[in-house]
Each structure stands twice: as C-alpha cells, then as structure tokens.
Amino acid sequence: MQNQEKNNSFLPSWMCETEQYVPSIDKDGFITKSTQAVLGVLSKLKWKEGKDRCLSASPSLKLCYTFLYILLTACSKNYVFSLIMAGGTILALATYPAETMKQIFSGTFGAVLFSALILLPAVFIGNPQILLIITTKVFVSVTLIGILSAGTSWNKLTASLRSFHIPDIFIFTLDITLKYIAVLGEICMEILTSLRLRSVGQNRKKAQSFSGILGISFLKSREMAEEMYAAMCCRGFVGEYKTQKTSTFRKQDILSILLMIGVTGIFIYFEDLWK
C-alpha cells in the first residue's frame, strides 16, 4: 500500500484521473434536414412509379387520351367545357385510394397556386375571369398527369412511348435517369447516416461535410455510369430500345375510346356555341 502511494506521488495528476469524456453538444440540423430532403425525393419517386390498376386501359391508350384531354382543355374557349373536364377529372380521381389522392392533390395545389400568383394582377386590372379560366385548365392538366403517373407503372409507361415512334435514345435516357436518381438518393442516405454516426462533439466545418457528400455522390455516379456502359457493351447493346411485343388491346380500351369520342364531341359542340 505504501509502495502504491509512493508510485502515485511520482505520477502526474492527470494520469491518476478517470477517463470521463463528455462530448460537447452540437446541432445536427444540417444532417437531419438533408436526410429529410433525400427521403422526400425518394418517397415521391417511389410514388411516381405507379401501379397498374385492374380494369384499366392499356398504357399506350392512357397516354393518348391524357394528351387529348389536356389538348382539348387548353384549346377550349368555352369555360363550361373546362368545368366539365374538371368535374370528370375529380370523378376519375375519386376512384383512387385516399393516400394517392393526397399525393396527386399536393402536386396540383402547388401548380394552381403558382399560376394564381402569376395571374393575380389580372384581377386588379379588371379581368378576373382570366384567373378562373387559367387556374381551372392548370388544375385539369396537372391532375390528369398525376392520375396517369399514379395508375401506370413507369416501365410500361416508357415502353408505350414506342407506339408513338419516340426516338429510342430519348426513351432510354428517360428510363435510366429516373432509376439512377433513386439509386443515388439511397447512396446519399447511407452517406448521411454514416456521417451522423461518426459525428462526435462540435463540427464547425459543416460546409466541408456537405462538399464531401457531393464529391462522393459524384464519384459514385461516375462509377455506376462506367459500370452500366460496360454492362451494355457486354450485352451487345447498340442503342435500340427493344420491348416485348404483346397484344396491348384490352376490352377496357373500348370504354376509353368511346369516352374519347364523347369528350371530343362535347368539345366541338361547345366551340360551335362560342362562335
């Protein structure tokens, strides 16, 4: 005991103290907000993938009548026709689940609000009808696109573009871009999670952490691009976007075609009344 006390007397005081490290508190708002932003983008992408619904028309016909309805709504000079299209769009939207309706309306609300703010000076000038007409047309157009995206899987939607003789390189670029945005988003999530787990104490150089995340994401994207190019070369890809040729006509398409004819007839009728 006496020898131990003598030994302690020769040791510095800091070597005799117990190790109790308490890291200083630091705000992790940067990591939290970044993670929430990436999760928001990924959730939207997963929602936009869509699911094929039973008793629905073929993807090619969905693209056709969506484009037709948007074109007729934009070209209509009679506000009654726009109201009819708005009512029909709401009825079609009512067949979807509540969560899907919420997602579609969130995108529609932003587009309608933006157009209303742009056209707000027209109300003070003395043309409030312009605000009503344009916002109604924006509502119909954006909601129709949301319904198309929510009710059709993305791969079938891009494959159906071949029916309209869209260039192969455009379809391929569109398909690969959306898929790799989701992949890069998951990589960013993993990097942010690892950064949070390794963050101890205060970090006064958060900008460097952000630049490091961007740098790693860029390197990963370049690496994946090279790997995809090598994989395409190994599989003999020559730039042709080939799809499986199957019969895409369904019994449900008859109802959609009749509805297209009916909407076109209503458009012509109200345009004649306008004249």
Side-chain angles (χ1 to χ4, degrees), residues 5-80:
E5 291 179 357
K6 290 180 180 180
N7 292 332
N8 291 337
S9 62
F10 292 106
L11 294 176
S13 59
W14 59 271
M15 294 186 67
C16 300
E17 296 178 357
T18 58
E19 295 183 359
Q20 294 181 354
Y21 175 72
V22 179
S24 56
I25 300 175
D26 189 18
K27 297 180 180 179
D28 59 348
F30 162 74
I31 302 177
T32 303
K33 292 180 180 179
S34 301
T35 306
Q36 291 176 352
V38 175
L39 282 175
V41 174
L42 290 178
S43 63
K44 290 180 181 179
L45 287 175
K46 290 182 179 179
W47 168 74
K48 287 184 179 181
E49 287 179 358
K51 295 182 179 179
D52 294 325
R53 305 186 68 198
C54 59
L55 302 178
S56 61
S58 59
S60 300
L61 189 58
K62 287 181 182 180
L63 277 174
C64 185
Y65 68 63
T66 301
F67 176 75
L68 177 64
Y69 294 158
I70 292 175
L71 181 63
L72 294 179
T73 305
C75 296
S76 176
K77 298 179 181 178
N78 197 319
Y79 185 61
V80 178

Side-chain angles (χ1 to χ4, degrees), residues 162-182:
R162 292 287 296 147
S163 304
F164 301 95
H165 302 285
I166 303 297
D168 295 336
I169 188 64
F170 177 80
I171 301 174
F172 178 75
T173 304
L174 186 65
D175 195 13
I176 293 299
T177 299
L178 185 62
K179 290 180 180 178
Y180 271 86
I181 287 176

Side-chain angles (χ1 to χ4, degrees), residues 79 115-116 118-123 125-138:
Y79 185 61
S115 60
I118 295 297
L119 297 171
L120 190 60
V123 178
I125 295 174
N127 295 320
Q129 65 276 9
I130 295 179
L131 178 64
L132 293 175
I133 293 172
I134 299 299
T135 52
T136 303
K137 292 183 177 182
V138 170

